[in-house]
């Protein structure tokens, strides 16, 4: 079931409070306490896309979500990249992001996209600034369909698809206590980076492009 509401604290929080079924979801026109990754606040004024749904735990799920969104955008003429694990970038600026929260055997997947709203984040972009307008319910239907079929794909297939949208491989990146050059995404979904001592580091944390 898709729940539609005009205002809520956070669509992710709402879903975690109820024991809902797989593919139950919620979209809100705005959020008063939108949440981003690493405890950050997610600006959620009217005009943005704030959607969360319940999925089964699966290897590479954050990557699956990023690819699914990037594919829909591509089908609408927008060339988006996924910055591992699941930041959505257009022209190097942040268009949206994904917050996955594990809850037992379920994962609450939250998706935020700048549509007609504008974010105060430095280096952000919105669909309207790019000259695009996407119907939210149509987007949800396409997104759910993509996710349903991607859940059936093998890890190799998912990583192969991810390479179409990746923007990190070959680039120099830094993280909290190191820096290096990105080599690949591992089968377990980690970012593999070669550091200055030629060691391979398998990262789960976010990185910054240098
Ligand atoms: C990020 O930090 O890039 C992830 C942002 C995720 C925001 C979305 S908006 C819908 C859902 N509800 C929330 O409170 N957060 C996610």
């Amino acid at each position: 079931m898709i729940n539609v509401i005009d205002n809520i604290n956070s669509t992710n929080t709402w879903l975690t409070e109820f024991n809902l079924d797989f593919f139950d979801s919620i979209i809100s026109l705005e959020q008063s306490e939108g949440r981003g990754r690493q405890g950050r606040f997610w600006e959620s004024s009217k005009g943005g896309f704030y959607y969360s749904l319940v999925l089964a735990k699966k290897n590479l799920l954050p990557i699956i979500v990023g690819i699914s969104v990037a594919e829909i955008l591509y089908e609408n003429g927008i060339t988006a990249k996924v910055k591992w694990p699941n930041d959505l970038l257009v022209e190097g600026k942040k268009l949206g992001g994904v917050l996955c929260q594990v809850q037992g055997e379920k994962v609450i997947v939250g998706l935020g996209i700048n549509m007609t709203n504008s974010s105060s984040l430095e280096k952000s972009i919105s669909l309207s600034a790019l000259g695009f307008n996407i119907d939210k319910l149509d987007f949800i239907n396409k997104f759910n369909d993509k996710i349903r079929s991607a859940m059936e794909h093998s890890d190799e297939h998912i990583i192969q698809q991810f390479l179409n949208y990746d923007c990190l491989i070959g680039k120099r990146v830094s993280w909290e206590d190191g820096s290096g050059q990105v080599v690949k995404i591992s089968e377990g979904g980690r970012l593999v980076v070669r550091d200055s001592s030629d060691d391979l580091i398998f990262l789960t944390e976010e990185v910054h492009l240098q």
Side-chain angles (χ1 to χ4, degrees):
M1 190 206 299
I2 302 174
N3 297 278
V4 181
I5 194 157
D6 54 355
N7 195 338
I8 200 158
N9 52 2
S10 151
T11 53
N12 265 41
T13 305
W14 189 83
L15 280 185
T16 55
E17 282 168 3
F18 302 97
N19 189 23
L20 296 169
D21 292 326
F22 294 131
F23 279 94
D24 277 342
S25 64
I26 175 169
I27 177 167
S28 183
L29 301 185
E30 57 186 327
Q31 299 182 117
S32 54
E33 293 166 37
R35 295 159 57 188
R37 281 201 303 275
Q38 299 180 323
R40 289 186 290 247
F41 177 69
W42 184 258
E43 271 177 48
S44 307
S45 57
K46 274 199 179 122
F49 179 78
Y50 314 110
Y51 176 69
S52 301
L53 88 164
V54 183
L55 291 176
K57 243 186 187 171
K58 175 170 167 66
N59 196 22
L60 302 176
L61 191 58
I63 289 177
I64 289 175
V65 175
I67 299 170
S68 300
V69 178
E71 279 185 345
I72 300 170
L73 294 174
Y74 183 76
E75 287 157 11
N76 280 274
I78 302 155
T79 303
K81 294 283 178 190
V82 183
K83 177 173 168 278
W84 178 93
N86 44 23
D87 266 350
L88 295 158
L89 305 183
V90 173
E91 298 173 0
K93 298 175 192 156
K94 185 148 171 162
L95 178 73
V98 178
L99 175 67
C100 294
Q101 292 178 271
V102 177
Q103 210 183 29
E105 283 313 299
K106 294 175 178 166
V107 182
I108 310 296
V109 172
L111 174 59
I113 299 178
N114 299 323
M115 288 195 165
T116 57
N117 61 311
S118 55
S119 160
S120 65
L121 270 184
E122 203 196 340
K123 290 190 87 181
S124 65
I125 197 159
S126 65
L127 289 182
S128 59
L130 289 162
F132 290 95
N133 178 24
I134 291 181
D135 179 79
K136 289 180 181 174
L137 288 180
D138 183 48
F139 185 91
I140 288 174
N141 283 326
K142 288 189 173 135
F143 178 68
N144 289 0
D145 285 350
K146 295 260 183 217
I147 294 278
R148 271 181 215 278
S149 58
M151 297 291 267
E152 307 298 320
H153 291 153
S154 67
D155 290 358
E156 292 77 11
H157 181 95
I158 293 163
I159 288 176
Q160 200 57 40
Q161 264 187 312
F162 181 77
L163 299 181
N164 294 329
Y165 300 103
D166 162 77
C167 63
L168 289 183
I169 291 174
K171 300 272 168 51
R172 288 205 58 81
V173 295
S174 60
W175 59 97
E176 202 178 347
D177 50 10
S179 64
Q181 186 172 28
V182 178
V183 179
K184 62 175 184 173
I185 309 293
S186 76
E187 280 182 19
R190 294 181 180 215
L191 190 73
V192 184
V193 180
R194 192 180 300 283
D195 71 7
S196 51
S197 321
D198 226 19
D199 289 330
L200 290 181
I201 318 279
F202 288 66
L203 292 171
T204 53
E205 67 189 279
E206 274 178 35
V207 297
H208 303 285
L209 274 162
Q210 288 189 321

